[in-house]
């Protein structure tokens, strides 16, 4: 006889309540907690989430690193970090509530068994703070430690609750190592438990690219090869390598920025509209773009390395003079390329991308340059000051969007000049933009992977990087080839001038 | 949130709308000339407020906390029907520094004193001052005179009417008049916003709450009426209200059993108004609650 199942009626009180997404109770474990990222970004992000009451009530943070320190010392250092780097005013009550659930474990997590002590602390947190066996492990560790840590975490995952892994870049250093990491992860975790972070995707302005394209009727019809002449994407940094010489010598600009941030910006600019805003729909479209990227030949790629120069009036050394860098280093600190997205929408439309260190200023922009008006009916001289329309997305700083248009200069006669229509986040909304890490940590706690990189995306990215760098070991580039404080090596200008175009003016 | 960097002002007696427009433009030019970089006028909305004399101080206080989050052109209308006919204006420009930018973002505050018969057709004064193509919100301070020309006219030119029914002396009768406005414009009630955290808390009591017979509320009368109206309308059954007057929503009990207070901070009048200015469409759950509160 069929069993009658009594259906629970839907709760009518929930209608219109605008319930905020709140994560389930959980503990966040930061591996590599003595590093710069934890102090500058992760703990300040957690404080901002606590400040806005976005963290679950039952929550704990476990910092794990090799450095010997007590929990009290760790908390004290993190409090200073929040005061220095936090975006919100410091409130002692908010901090105290967060710090109450904080623990520190000094252990070598790369060692077999190094994880046991962490598991003990987590079990203790479950009992004391009600974190229910739910874990978010944040892996901000050197590549050499990643493999052991993944295995240790996989073997020790608890029977109760869920486990998620946030993995900081670099995710491998080539296709082979990325695949091997993915395979290791797959042995212990499912894809929806793995959150490969690219903090650019957590930036409001990067997400605004999706809003700009898919929430406005006027852009999408002209977002294609018929109307767009080319796209320029710039990720410029004025800083040098800081204390990261050993990392940077291994990675260079192509692995540090191009493989992840720049290719993600290309994908968001070029992707087709997703059917909805779920993780798989968005990532499916992005991966199609990455698959369509044509490998640029050597002529369409430029490498550079900075020599001595001046940044904001201060004399700075060249890359080879930086501490920890080989005096004959061939590592690139500048990378530019002309890419083509081989599909119906973008065929023959170049995407010029560039990134570099010690450039004159910090700036990340996506510039969509439209084709010129076919036949301006003005005297030739009238339009001297006229440049093509450019839709410029300022990712940072000056977050916003501006559109360059031609306008008549007031006065007798007809003279036309390019002016900008600006939308600045600060001007329109006046609320501070959340830090990328706030959004991403919260999303991982909620299990929303939309803004994280999927296995196939990361493999497509590395496959392109491998194809570009295949010939590099055989070359001896003539470095340094640009001065710190200048925009690029001359060959980067030649790359774009050959096509009758030029890099955007700054 | 930082304080305004610049405060420019102008006051005029017996002015015209053209005077106001000219003076506002002048203030903007003066401000831009004194600062490094361009001053941007924000373009989010026109916020209009009908502020009888006794509400002027409260309105200024709320506005002070609001300007940075919803920079807009604000038009404060202060009616003074017994005075000699005329229009006085007090204009100010509030500019805030833009982080990482040179320049400022500015919002304009136009305070108009409508004297004598100028109170009869307020829409004809504010319509030319609305910023084109942007939504317009009307915050009505105190008890709105439902059906009277000044309200009807202003409702006609705005996208949303915002009230705080806790400011009304004749509840629940006034709710009966409020429901008549629902088909003309979207309505927000700050008293409804104040109760949001409690409603979330009560919703967690489902399904036990479905059989509730009496709701006890210690708080402002409006907040209590809206809470019981919400329960009646959502549950589709009668719920008795036992009300105990208090300045803020302090305690709620279901059939004598206390509900644990919701987690969350008290929000200021500016926060509450700010939240209402984020909404555009009608709120059918609120409208149903008002209808049921009036029963």
């Amino acid at each position: 006889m069929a069993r009658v199942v009594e259906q629970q009626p839907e709760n009518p009180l929930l209608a219109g309540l605008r319930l905020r997404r709140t994560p389930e109770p959980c503990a966040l474990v930061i591996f590599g907690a003595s590093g710069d990222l934890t102090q500058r970004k992760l703990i300040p992000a957690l404080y901002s989430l606590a400040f806005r009451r976005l963290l679950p009530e039952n929550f704990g943070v476990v910092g794990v690193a090799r450095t010997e320190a007590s929990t009290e010392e760790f908390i004290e250092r993190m409090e200073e970090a929040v005061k220095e780097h936090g975006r919100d005013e410091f409130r002692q009550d908010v901090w105290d509530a967060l710090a109450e659930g904080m623990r520190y474990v000094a252990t070598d997590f790369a060692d077999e068994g190094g994880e046991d002590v962490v598991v003990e602390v987590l079990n203790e947190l479950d009992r004391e703070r009600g974190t229910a066996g739910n874990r978010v492990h944040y892996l901000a560790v050197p590549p050499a430690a990643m493999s052991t840590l993944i295995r240790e975490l996989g073997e020790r995952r608890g029977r109760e609750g869920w486990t998620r892994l946030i993995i900081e870049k670099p995710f491998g250093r080539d296709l082979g190592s990325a695949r091997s990491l993915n395979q290791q992860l797959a042995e212990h975790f499912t894809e929806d438990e793995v959150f490969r972070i690219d903090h650019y995707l957590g930036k409001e302005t990067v997400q605004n690219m999706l809003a700009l394209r898919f929430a406005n009727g006027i852009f999408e019809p002209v977002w294609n090869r018929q109307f767009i002449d080319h796209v320029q994407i710039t990720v410029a940094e004025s800083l040098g390598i800081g204390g990261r010489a050993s990392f940077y010598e291994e990675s260079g600009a192509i692995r540090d920025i191009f493989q992840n941030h720049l290719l993600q910006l290309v994908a968001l600019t070029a992707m087709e509209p997703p059917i909805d805003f779920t993780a798989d729909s968005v990532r499916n479209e992005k991966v199609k773009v990455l698959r369509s990227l044509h490998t640029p030949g050597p002529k369409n790629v430029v490498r550079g390395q900075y020599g001595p120069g001046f940044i904001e009036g201060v004399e700075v050394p060249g890359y080879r003079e930086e501490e920890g860098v080989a005096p004959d280093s061939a590592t690139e600190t500048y990378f530019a390329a002309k890419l083509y997205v081989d599909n119906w929408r973008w065929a023959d439309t170049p995407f010029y991308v560039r990134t570099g260190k010690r450039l004159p200023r910090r700036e990340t922009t996506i510039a969509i340059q439209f084709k010129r008006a076919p036949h301006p009916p003005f005297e030739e001289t009238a339009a001297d000051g006229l440049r093509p329309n450019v839709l410029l997305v300022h990712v940072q700083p000056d977050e916003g969007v501006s559109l360059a248009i031609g306008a008549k200069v007031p006065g007798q006669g007809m003279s036309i000049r390019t002016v900008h229509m600006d939308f600045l986040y600060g001007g329109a909304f006046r609320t501070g933009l959340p830090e990328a890490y706030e959004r991403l940590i919260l999303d991982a706690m909620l299990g929303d992977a939309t803004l994280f990189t999927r296995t196939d995306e990361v493999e497509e990215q590395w496959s392109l990087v491998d194809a570009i760098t295949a010939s590099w070991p055989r070359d001896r580039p003539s470095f340094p080839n640009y001065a710190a404080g200048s925009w690029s090596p001359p060959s980067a200008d030649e790359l774009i001038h050959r096509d009758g175009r030029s890099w955007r003016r700054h | 949130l930082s304080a305004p960097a610049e405060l420019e002002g102008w006051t005029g007696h017996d002015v015209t709308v053209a005077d106001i427009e000219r003076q506002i433009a002048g203030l903007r030019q003066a401000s831009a000339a004194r600062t490094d970089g361009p001053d941007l006028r924000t373009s989010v909305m026109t916020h209009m407020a009908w502020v009888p004399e006794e509400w002027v101080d409260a309105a200024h206080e709320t506005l002070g906390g609001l300007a940075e989050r919803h920079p807009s052109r604000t038009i404060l209308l202060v009616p003074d029907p017994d005075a000699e006919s005329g229009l006085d204006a007090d204009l100010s420009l509030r500019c805030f520094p833009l982080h990482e930018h040179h320049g400022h973002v500015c919002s304009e505050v136009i305070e108009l004193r409508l004297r004598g018969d100028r109170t009869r057709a307020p829409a004809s004064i504010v319509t030319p001052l609305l910023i084109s193509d942007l939504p317009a919100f009307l915050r009505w301070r105190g008890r709105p005179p439902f059906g009277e020309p000044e309200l009807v006219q202003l409702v006609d030119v705005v996208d949303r009417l915002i009230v705080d029914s806790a400011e009304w002396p004749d509840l629940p009768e006034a709710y009966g008049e409020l429901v008549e406005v629902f088909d003309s414009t979207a309505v927000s009630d700050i008293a409804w916003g104040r109760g949001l955290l409690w409603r979330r808390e009560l919703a967690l009591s489902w399904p036990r709450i479905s059989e509730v017979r009496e709701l006890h509320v210690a708080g402002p009368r409006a907040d209590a009426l809206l809470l019981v109206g919400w329960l009646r309308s959502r549950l589709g059954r009668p719920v008795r209200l036992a009300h105990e007057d208090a300045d803020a929503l302090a305690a709620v009990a279901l059939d004598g059993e206390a509900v644990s207070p919701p987690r969350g901070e008290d929000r200021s009048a500016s926060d509450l108004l700010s939240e209402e200015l984020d909404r555009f469409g009608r709120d059918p759950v609120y409208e149903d609650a008002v209808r049921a509160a009036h029963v």
Side-chain angles (χ1 to χ4, degrees):
Chain A
M1 201 174 96
R3 207 153 61 94
V4 177
V5 179
E6 199 178 322
Q7 286 263 320
Q8 183 72 38
E10 210 175 303
N11 184 351
L13 301 177
L14 293 177
L17 276 186
R18 302 188 301 274
L19 290 173
R20 226 170 22 191
R21 301 185 307 165
T22 311
E24 293 174 314
C26 64
L28 176 73
V29 191
I30 303 172
F31 291 93
S34 58
D36 220 28
L37 182 76
T38 307
Q39 298 192 35
R40 283 177 175 275
K41 299 289 182 190
L42 303 185
I43 299 291
L46 287 174
Y47 174 81
S48 290
L49 291 173
F51 190 85
R52 289 169 181 74
R53 296 176 174 273
L54 293 170
L55 292 177
E57 228 168 318
N58 303 94
F59 181 66
V61 182
V62 182
V64 184
R66 289 195 189 103
T67 316
E68 281 298 332
S70 65
T71 290
E72 290 69 30
E73 287 166 335
F74 177 69
I75 291 174
E76 209 172 299
R77 231 181 28 249
M78 294 305 117
E79 182 175 337
E80 288 311 309
V82 168
K83 284 176 182 164
E84 193 180 346
H85 303 294
R87 73 179 177 104
D88 296 305
E89 59 168 301
F90 184 81
R91 269 181 38 193
Q92 197 63 48
D93 58 326
V94 174
W95 172 253
D96 289 345
L98 181 63
E100 208 177 306
M102 246 177 222
R103 307 286 184 271
Y104 181 76
V105 178
T107 184
D108 191 342
F109 40 74
D111 277 357
E112 299 282 341
E115 253 283 278
D116 288 343
V117 59
V118 179
V119 173
E120 277 172 38
V121 171
L122 284 168
N123 292 339
E124 204 177 283
L125 266 184
D126 284 344
R127 289 192 297 275
E128 291 172 10
R129 308 274 303 171
T131 43
N134 296 329
R135 316 276 184 249
V136 179
H137 297 295
Y138 199 115
L139 278 57
V141 300
M146 193 67 86
S147 179
T148 315
L149 188 51
I150 290 170
R151 196 180 61 246
E152 293 252 323
L153 290 172
E155 286 170 356
R156 283 167 178 74
R157 62 183 299 175
R159 280 189 298 276
E160 278 178 28
W162 44 255
T163 300
R164 293 179 191 136
L165 260 57
I166 303 178
I167 301 183
E168 259 298 332
K169 70 167 198 173
F171 192 86
R173 79 171 308 277
D174 52 25
L175 180 60
S177 55
R179 271 195 182 142
S180 146
L181 262 181
N182 278 334
Q183 276 160 9
Q184 263 190 310
L185 284 164
E187 281 172 28
H188 302 283
F189 302 95
T190 56
E191 179 63 29
D192 60 3
E193 291 174 325
V194 180
F195 295 76
R196 294 169 197 83
I197 208 162
D198 181 334
H199 77 270
Y200 260 53
L201 294 177
K203 288 178 182 289
E204 287 286 328
T205 34
V206 171
Q207 294 161 45
N208 188 46
M209 189 61 163
L210 296 173
L212 184 79
R213 289 190 56 197
F214 305 130
N216 295 288
I218 62 167
F219 295 120
E220 209 45 30
V222 294
W223 206 265
N224 56 51
R225 64 189 302 275
Q226 269 182 289
F227 296 93
I228 291 176
D229 179 74
H230 71 277
V231 176
Q232 287 187 27
I233 304 181
T234 303
V235 179
E237 295 174 283
S238 59
L239 292 175
I241 52 166
R244 301 196 307 153
S246 60
F247 162 75
Y248 205 83
E249 277 283 87
E250 284 296 305
S251 64
I254 194 167
R255 293 183 173 87
D256 187 32
I257 302 288
F258 174 78
Q259 177 267 335
N260 39 73
H261 306 328
L262 256 177
L263 286 180
Q264 285 293 335
L265 295 180
V266 170
L268 288 169
T269 307
M271 69 192 263
E272 294 299 315
I275 54 166
D276 53 33
F277 202 58
T278 57
D280 273 336
S281 300
V282 173
R283 298 190 295 183
N284 286 345
E285 297 306 333
K286 281 197 296 168
V287 87
K288 280 187 210 162
V289 173
L290 296 169
R291 274 190 198 134
S292 315
L293 284 173
H294 183 90
T295 305
K299 271 188 163 179
N300 289 327
V301 167
V302 170
R303 279 186 285 166
Q305 188 191 78
Y306 63 84
F310 289 85
I311 296 284
E312 294 180 16
V314 178
E315 191 165 9
V316 296
Y319 178 72
R320 288 175 174 176
E321 288 84 54
E322 300 269 16
E323 203 183 321
V325 173
D328 59 347
S329 171
T331 300
E332 79 289 352
T333 60
Y334 179 96
F335 176 80
K338 179 165 76 165
L339 303 174
Y340 284 101
V341 181
D342 286 340
N343 64 19
W344 191 277
R345 185 190 285 259
W346 294 113
D348 303 325
T349 310
F351 282 62
Y352 299 97
V353 299
R354 58 179 167 164
T355 180
K357 287 204 169 285
R358 286 290 190 217
L359 301 186
R361 70 166 188 234
R362 168 178 162 258
E363 176 188 302
T364 301
T365 51
I366 303 168
I368 315 293
Q369 182 157 327
F370 291 88
K371 291 184 175 169
R372 286 179 182 275
H375 177 67
F378 311 112
E379 285 176 43
E380 211 173 299
T381 51
D384 274 354
L386 188 61
R387 295 198 294 274
N389 299 120
V390 177
L391 182 71
L392 189 59
V393 178
H394 301 268
V395 176
Q396 62 182 21
D398 299 349
E399 290 84 351
V401 181
S402 69
L403 179 64
I405 55 167
K408 181 183 177 301
V409 179
Q412 302 299 318
M414 177 62 83
S415 176
I416 296 167
R417 192 83 55 78
T418 295
V419 295
H420 285 91
M421 289 201 296
D422 290 328
F423 149 67
L424 288 175
Y425 263 89
F429 296 117
R430 286 303 303 151
T431 46
L433 296 182
E435 279 286 326
Y437 282 95
E438 291 170 36
R439 169 70 191 258
L440 295 173
I441 292 172
L442 188 65
D443 278 3
M445 287 183 194
L446 291 160
D448 181 349
T450 309
L451 300 176
F452 293 85
T453 316
R454 205 169 56 186
T455 307
D456 48 354
E457 269 179 284
V458 88
E459 291 185 4
E460 289 296 338
Q461 290 171 340
W462 278 122
S463 138
L464 183 68
V465 169
D466 280 6
I468 293 172
T469 58
S471 63
W472 288 8
R474 293 192 297 274
D475 300 340
R476 284 308 299 171
S478 163
F479 285 166
N481 58 356
Y482 71 102
S486 66
W487 270 108
S488 65
S491 46
D493 287 333
E494 288 157 23
L495 167 83
I496 195 165
H497 288 166
R498 277 202 300 271
D499 298 338
R501 302 182 177 101
S502 54
W503 294 109
R504 269 186 55 255
R505 282 198 218 167
H506 295 275
Chain B
L1 298 174
S2 52
E6 304 290 332
L7 273 172
E8 306 276 348
W10 178 84
T11 302
H13 187 66
D14 270 334
V15 299
T16 63
V17 169
D19 293 335
I20 294 166
E21 286 176 327
R22 197 167 46 248
Q23 291 299 334
I24 277 278
L27 290 180
R28 292 179 55 77
Q29 278 174 10
S31 168
R34 293 209 293 118
T35 56
D36 179 20
D39 280 348
L40 303 170
R41 183 173 71 181
T42 61
S43 45
V44 179
M45 74 185 77
T46 304
H47 164 220
M48 202 189 308
W50 180 267
V51 189
E53 190 65 47
E54 64 272 27
W55 291 102
V56 169
D57 289 345
H60 282 158
E61 197 181 319
T62 307
L63 192 62
L66 186 71
E68 255 196 300
R69 262 169 299 174
H70 283 282
S72 56
R73 174 174 284 184
T74 294
I75 306 172
L76 294 179
L77 301 168
V78 184
D80 189 358
D82 300 328
E84 191 183 332
S85 175
L87 182 66
D88 302 337
D90 196 347
L91 315 180
S92 60
L93 204 58
R94 297 171 182 214
C95 298
F96 302 86
L98 282 167
H99 303 295
E100 296 195 13
H101 302 268
H102 294 299
H104 293 84
V105 57
C106 300
S107 68
E108 302 151 354
V109 180
I110 303 173
E111 184 169 333
L112 300 176
R113 187 165 290 271
L114 280 52
R115 292 185 280 114
D117 59 5
R118 303 297 287 273
T119 56
R120 286 186 306 160
S124 67
I125 296 169
V126 296
T127 304
L129 295 172
L130 297 179
I131 300 174
S132 311
D133 299 324
L134 293 184
F137 290 70
L138 170 64
R139 166 73 167 101
W140 196 281
R141 285 279 179 172
R143 164 74 150 88
F146 294 109
E148 294 299 318
E150 62 267 35
L151 178 68
V152 172
Q153 282 176 24
L154 288 175
V155 160
D156 208 35
V157 298
V158 299
D159 299 276
R160 191 168 197 92
L161 169 67
I162 302 169
V163 295
D164 185 347
S165 57
E167 295 170 352
W168 305 353
D170 55 339
L171 292 176
E173 291 74 20
Y175 284 143
E177 294 180 63
L178 177 64
V179 297
E180 303 298 324
V181 182
F182 289 158
D183 284 333
S184 320
T185 188
V187 176
S188 282
D189 189 340
I190 288 173
W192 176 249
R194 266 194 303 271
L196 176 64
L197 296 179
W198 279 102
R199 293 199 300 279
R200 283 184 183 155
E201 200 62 37
L202 289 171
L204 299 178
S205 311
W206 180 263
R208 193 166 49 85
I209 197 173
S210 62
E211 300 301 321
V212 67
R213 291 183 307 279
E214 184 186 88
L215 175 77
H216 175 270
V217 180
R221 183 154 177 75
D223 301 38
L225 283 165
L226 290 173
L227 211 50
V228 79
W230 171 68
L231 275 185
R232 288 171 187 157
S233 60
R234 302 319 302 160
L235 299 176
R237 59 192 301 277
V239 179
R240 206 166 46 248
L241 173 67
H243 174 235
E244 183 189 330
D245 205 27
D247 287 342
L249 256 177
V252 171
L254 294 169
D255 291 332
E257 196 178 323
V259 176
S260 52
R263 191 172 161 246
E265 283 174 285
D266 286 342
R267 287 163 300 163
S268 68
S270 304
D271 292 335
L272 289 162
L273 178 56
S274 179
E275 281 170 20
E276 298 310 320
L277 295 177
D278 277 339
R279 288 189 194 120
F280 290 88
R282 285 174 68 166
D283 180 350
V285 178
Y286 166 69
E287 292 179 5
D288 290 345
V290 171
R291 288 189 189 95
H294 175 233
V295 173

